[in-house]
Amino acid sequence: MVENGFKSSFMREAAARGFIFQCTDADALDALMAEKSVAAYIGFDPTADSLHVGSLIQIMMLRLLQKHGHRPIALVGGGTARIGDPSFREEARRLMTEDIIQTNLAGIEGCLRQFLTFGSGASEAALVNNADWLDKLAYIDLLRDVGVHFSINRMLAFDSVKNRLEREQGLTFLEFNYSILQSYDFRELNRRMDVVLQLGGSDQWGNIISGVELVRRTDQKSVMGLTTPLLTTASGAKMGKTANGAVWLSEKRLPVFDYWQFWRNTEDADVGRFLRLFTELPLEECARLEALQGAEINEAKKVLATEATALCHGRSAALAAAEAARQTFEEGRVAAADLPVHEVAEADMAAGIPVFRLFAEVGLVKTNGEARRLVRGGGARLNNDVIQDENKLITQQDMVDGAIKLSAGKKHHVLVKVGVSA
């Protein structure tokens, strides 16, 4: 373990792995955690029915808390989802219906259960929904009890608010209330579950500080906040985003093979950092893998991909994805068992499907035009062979071992099989 001066095992490992960006009082938090188990929470807004890799650093923090005997609380924003967090957004989120919110809450709970052990024990995770208390609030009571402690001048100074106003994109009064409600969540969790620490990304610093101040002013208690760095890749890309969209944690949204492949495609300069943040390998092993040079760095990337995928989807699925990748890239097999599969109707296959249309249909490209350009540029392959004719009709005669492998470049592959779906 890297020596960093902290006494508590959680703070030592969190610092050594690169999780800590800001803390309201690191020494006090360290002393408290060295003395006893504490409850800490992170909030997740149900904006989709799955979390994605952009939320993973927060989930790993909750997992680290649990590892060191503390209690992680995952708060899902069933109440605040009706408003939307304006932090570092260029425009207001579209408001969701109650049915969509409930569907998204269930999906997020499923993602969290992939990483955390839930229960009622001292170090077992708890899932709470802020709708349980926010839905019961009376507006005048909220203004008198909470609103009086918030300074408009200070709220306008929050980066998340200031950036929107400077870009002349506006901020609705509805969104402006988000910070107040998040602070109310912190106080409510402190009262209900003795939560003394709020965690979040560095974009949440202003909201976290507001919650710390609210608890201090209304309840005369000392609570704390800690933020993680906002991650970008070495090339400056937003973490968890690819050309094809978000890297989802739910297998319903993203096949395990594609999740494994995302980590395998990590830039060389990010390998060590991502090993420390997104796997549970010992720090010494992370350092050894980070030091690999030349072609050997690819072996470190495979370890990263397998370990990160094992945490999300289980080790068996991770090993199957690694083997599918080996067969696909190292042996050149057509129908590796764990590649993403797209089914087409038997009638469509019998009639023949233009290859440019099929590339778009299976999601390897976004449009027919992009598919045509891919073929013209030599980047489209059918069963490992370069496609020469963008209008080629794909039929069952193109199948090998019951499937057709379409490839966009060297890293993106889909198996096409005949099924009942159109």
Side-chain angles (χ1 to χ4, degrees):
M1 182 72 69
V2 176
E3 182 60 43
N4 48 42
F6 288 118
K7 299 176 182 177
S8 67
S9 59
F10 170 80
M11 291 292 283
R12 283 200 307 271
E13 185 167 0
R17 289 188 178 273
F19 283 105
I20 299 177
F21 182 69
Q22 299 159 299
C23 187
T24 54
D25 192 335
D27 290 338
L29 179 59
D30 181 43
L32 183 64
M33 288 184 141
E35 177 185 338
K36 65 178 184 178
S37 172
V38 305
Y41 91 99
I42 295 176
F44 299 93
D45 274 339
T47 53
D49 61 0
S50 172
L51 296 171
H52 55 73
V53 167
S55 300
L56 191 53
I57 191 170
Q58 309 303 330
I59 298 173
M60 292 300 291
M61 277 289 270
L62 291 178
R63 188 176 172 92
L64 190 63
L65 279 165
Q66 189 162 58
K67 172 185 175 182
H68 290 286
H70 303 288
R71 190 173 197 200
I73 309 295
L75 180 142
V76 288
T80 42
R82 297 186 178 91
I83 294 177
D85 183 1
S87 297
F88 294 91
R89 293 187 61 82
E90 295 183 354
E91 58 185 12
R93 282 196 172 105
R94 295 173 63 181
L95 299 182
M96 296 179 289
T97 65
E98 186 61 31
D99 286 345
I100 292 175
I101 290 174
Q102 292 305 316
T103 297
N104 292 351
L105 289 174
I108 288 174
E109 179 179 351
C111 290
L112 292 170
R113 289 186 180 277
Q114 293 167 202
F115 292 87
L116 302 170
T117 300
F118 285 83
S120 57
S123 63
E124 290 182 310
L127 187 73
V128 295
N129 185 342
N130 64 11
D132 291 345
W133 52 83
L134 294 184
D135 285 0
K136 302 172 185 177
L137 283 178
Y139 187 59
I140 297 300
D141 291 340
L142 177 67
L143 290 179
R144 288 175 58 88
D145 178 36
V146 177
V148 68
H149 299 291
F150 283 77
S151 163
I152 293 294
N153 291 343
R154 182 173 182 180
M155 293 172 74
L156 288 173
F158 289 174
D159 287 341
S160 57
V161 173
K162 187 166 57 176
N163 289 347
R164 283 274 293 274
L165 297 179
E166 287 176 351
R167 293 172 185 167
E168 298 183 354
Q169 289 157 332
L171 190 73
T172 68
F173 180 72
L174 189 67
E175 294 175 286
F176 198 61
N177 276 270
Y178 187 91
S179 181
I180 296 176
L181 296 182
Q182 184 171 326
S183 300
Y184 190 92
D185 286 344
F186 198 174
R187 190 181 73 173
E188 194 68 18
L189 288 173
N190 177 259
R191 290 177 175 180
R192 292 179 177 222
M193 306 177 73
D194 196 27
V195 172
V196 298
L197 175 65
Q198 182 180 173
L199 304 163
S202 59
D203 60 329
Q204 295 297 317
W205 182 247
N207 291 336
I208 290 173
I209 292 296
S210 292
V212 170
E213 285 294 303
L214 178 65
V215 174
R216 182 183 65 81
R217 292 186 180 196
T218 62
D219 294 12
Q220 292 76 51
K221 291 183 179 179
S222 176
V223 294
M224 287 163 278
L226 185 152
T227 64
T228 59
L230 287 184
L231 287 186
T232 58
T233 65
S235 61
K238 190 173 182 180
M239 183 64 187
K241 295 287 186 179
T242 69
N244 295 323
V247 182
W248 301 103
L249 303 184
S250 169
E251 188 177 357
K252 294 179 181 178
R253 282 271 200 155
L254 185 74
V256 176
F257 178 86
D258 288 352
Y259 188 80
W260 188 95
Q261 196 63 36
F262 165 77
W263 295 105
R264 169 62 180 83
N265 293 335
T266 295
E267 297 177 41
D268 291 2
D270 289 325
V271 170
R273 182 166 56 124
F274 288 1
L275 281 165
R276 287 186 288 273
L277 290 171
F278 302 119
T279 81
E280 293 181 334
L281 290 174
L283 287 166
E284 294 79 5
E285 178 64 5
C286 294
R288 185 189 71 80
L289 292 167
E290 184 178 20
L292 295 177
Q293 300 293 322
E296 288 186 331
I297 194 68
N298 289 324
E299 296 306 311
K301 292 179 183 181
K302 293 175 187 177
V303 173
L304 167 64
T306 299
E307 293 299 317
T309 304
L311 287 177
C312 185
H313 296 293
R315 188 155 298 276
S316 295
L319 293 174
E323 176 60 17
R326 187 188 68 80
Q327 292 178 12
T328 302
F329 301 122
E330 298 177 17
E331 296 182 3
R333 293 189 191 178
V334 171
D338 288 278
L339 288 179
V341 174
H342 179 88
E343 291 188 346
V344 299
E346 185 174 4
D348 290 343
M349 187 64 80
I353 306 172
V355 69
F356 71 86
R357 197 183 83 199
L358 189 56
F359 264 79
E361 182 180 320
V362 303
L364 286 170
V365 295
K366 293 183 179 179
T367 65
N368 290 341
E370 187 179 342
R372 290 182 183 276
R373 290 190 293 273
L374 182 69
V375 174
R376 293 169 192 165
R381 291 178 180 267
L382 170 68
N383 297 335
N384 298 327
D385 295 327
V386 176
I387 300 170
Q388 304 292 342
D389 181 6
E390 65 196 63
N391 295 307
K392 172 182 171 60
L393 287 181
I394 303 300
T395 69
Q396 285 180 307
Q397 293 181 350
D398 294 299
M399 287 190 167
V400 177
D401 298 332
I404 296 168
K405 188 173 85 169
L406 298 181
S407 304
K410 296 180 179 180
K411 298 178 179 178
H412 302 289
H413 310 270
V414 171
L415 294 183
V416 178
K417 297 184 177 181
V418 173
V420 295
S421 59

